[in-house]
Amino acid sequence: MSAPLSAPRGRPQDEELTGQILDAALVELMEHGYANIRIERIAAAVGCGKTAIYRRWPDRGTLVAAAMNRATVIGDIPDTGSVVGDLVTHGLRNAENQGALAGNSNPYSATVSPDVRVHLWRDGFLAARREMGRAIIARAIGRDELPPDVDADAILDALAGFVLYRSTLRPSRTTEVDLRGLVIALTTAPPRIS
């Protein structure tokens, strides 16, 4: 027989306040960029104390990752009937996510910060989107559209890198035509695992 669970200590977290904090953190990220985020401004925007924020997230990296996870649409694994169509659709979802969150600073640039990236890969949208991409490529291998020794990560990195570069460093809109050309090149002579 196991011991009864004790009641949680402290005040229960208010889910509405949690949502307001995440929304304010995303606005802060878009307006000021990750390097210039100030927890004080987020708390002031929401009307809470900094401790309410730190009770939920121990540092700004986990807060920003949670805000980005909340704002990102994972979507479904596309099945257009071809690997080219599937990867183009997958890449467009990435572009739509990044475009939807455009501000003075693209919040997706925070993904390069180690204290944000670790959370997005461990339990966030980066890991989920990568698994979707791997499923697309595995299905293409099963349909003999790609060879069994294809380097799925190289294809997915090229696709994600293209979209991220276009939305943060260039910046310009990623179009379906752009993605189709890239995906055709990547799948016509795909990189192989050595």
Side-chain angles (χ1 to χ4, degrees):
M1 184 160 136
S2 61
L5 296 174
S6 61
R9 293 183 178 186
R11 272 187 300 184
Q13 288 188 1
D14 176 349
E15 293 305 315
E16 183 177 342
L17 178 60
T18 298
Q20 291 172 350
I21 293 168
L22 290 172
D23 292 344
L26 192 62
V27 169
E28 175 80 5
L29 180 63
M30 291 189 301
E31 289 181 358
H32 301 284
Y34 182 68
N36 298 311
I37 282 182
R38 298 293 173 263
I39 299 298
E40 298 81 13
R41 284 194 298 250
I42 296 169
V46 175
C48 69
K50 290 190 312 183
T51 56
I53 296 172
Y54 286 120
R55 190 178 318 121
R56 290 164 171 81
W57 304 279
D59 55 52
R60 73 178 179 158
T62 55
L63 170 61
V64 167
M68 291 178 72
N69 279 329
R70 176 180 160 99
T72 299
V73 176
I74 300 296
D76 296 321
I77 298 174
D79 190 1
T80 65
S82 78
V83 68
V84 171
D86 292 349
L87 288 173
V88 167
T89 303
H90 186 70
L92 284 172
R93 166 53 44 212
N94 291 344
E96 289 166 5
N97 276 328
Q98 292 178 39
L101 298 180
N104 295 339
S105 172
N106 186 321
Y108 284 88
S109 61
T111 60
V112 300
S113 175
D115 52 336
V116 174
R117 183 178 59 230
V118 67
H119 301 291
L120 297 177
W121 273 112
R122 185 176 58 219
D123 53 9
F125 73 86
L126 290 179
R129 296 285 300 156
R130 178 53 57 116
E131 286 309 309
M132 292 172 77
R134 285 188 179 133
I136 291 168
I137 291 173
R139 187 174 53 219
I141 292 169
R143 294 189 301 220
D144 292 326
E145 292 180 284
L146 291 173
D149 64 342
V150 68
D151 188 340
D153 284 326
I155 290 173
L156 296 171
D157 289 347
L159 187 59
F162 179 82
V163 172
L164 184 63
Y165 178 84
R166 285 275 176 102
S167 69
T168 58
L169 297 176
R170 193 166 177 195
S172 68
R173 197 170 142 265
T174 301
T175 67
E176 183 175 349
V177 171
D178 298 331
L179 285 172
R180 187 166 299 282
L182 176 64
V183 169
I184 288 170
L186 289 168
T187 56
T188 300
R192 309 284 183 98
I193 297 170
S194 15

